[in-house]
Amino acid sequence: MKIRRHRHHSVPTLNMASMPDLIFTVLFFFMIVTHMRTETAKVHLEVPEGKELTKAANKRTVTNLYIGTDRDGQTRIQIGEKIVPLEAVGSAILAARNGLNDEEAGLYTINIRADRNTPMGVITDVKQELRKVGALNIRYSATEEGKETKKNTK
């Protein structure tokens, strides 16, 4: 009895018709889920924790003000993408608020994201500068207690 070996092996072809649908579905999913950051913290931040936290309703009327340390260990203030000295905080806030209409200007809020080790004197000085330009709606950022804090360094 002779055993015949088939030397002609055929590999089944894959149906690639649904591949573009799958790729676009995955791409669409990541576009929806991904949060795009509009500004990057240039100072070291270790955000404090809090219990009763709320989210800002309208992000267009919120300006983030970061207070942290740079690589040299000096306390720095960042508004938007710029590092500003304490004396220029008021003018930077006025410039940011000027781009809003009257209704949005009434809702204008400063969101202070300060490092947990920032001296309270620095935060008080920043608040005094904000008071001079009439920026009285102030929020403080924190992470939820029990959740791991995120460290931003650059």
Side-chain angles (χ1 to χ4, degrees):
M1 178 170 195
K2 290 186 179 180
I3 299 175
R4 292 185 181 178
R5 294 187 184 180
H6 294 285
R7 293 191 177 165
H8 184 277
H9 293 283
S10 63
V11 178
T13 59
L14 291 175
N15 185 1
M16 300 297 281
S18 64
M19 185 64 76
D21 294 337
L22 180 66
I23 290 172
F24 284 116
T25 303
V26 171
L27 178 66
F28 185 70
F29 171 77
F30 284 114
M31 287 173 53
I32 295 295
V33 175
T34 302
H35 172 69
M36 299 302 287
R37 219 177 243 201
T38 57
E39 31 187 67
T40 304
K42 296 178 182 177
V43 294
H44 172 75
L45 286 176
E46 191 174 324
V47 182
E49 296 179 348
K51 291 182 182 178
E52 297 181 25
L53 304 176
T54 58
K55 289 193 174 195
N58 186 357
K59 292 187 179 186
R60 178 169 158 69
T61 60
V62 175
T63 296
N64 290 315
L65 188 145
Y66 301 94
I67 303 173
T69 55
D70 61 5
R71 293 181 183 176
D72 299 330
Q74 298 293 320
T75 300
R76 299 285 181 221
I77 302 166
Q78 176 184 340
I79 299 174
E81 291 288 329
K82 296 179 183 175
I83 302 284
V84 296
L86 178 63
E87 301 79 30
V89 167
S91 59
I93 293 300
L94 283 176
R97 188 169 55 186
N98 285 340
L100 303 175
N101 61 34
D102 292 338
E103 184 179 317
E104 291 174 332
L107 300 172
Y108 189 69
T109 305
I110 307 299
N111 185 29
I112 296 178
R113 295 182 54 93
D115 184 63
R116 70 174 56 217
N117 299 319
T118 300
M120 194 61 196
V122 175
I123 295 174
T124 303
D125 292 343
V126 168
K127 286 173 53 177
Q128 291 297 328
E129 290 295 318
L130 294 174
R131 187 176 293 156
K132 288 178 186 176
V133 295
L136 303 177
N137 293 334
I138 298 174
R139 297 173 59 102
Y140 296 95
S141 289
T143 57
E144 212 172 319
E145 267 187 340
K147 288 191 176 181
E148 199 169 310
T149 59
K150 195 189 319 185
K151 294 181 181 177
N152 292 329
T153 57
K154 193 159 188 177

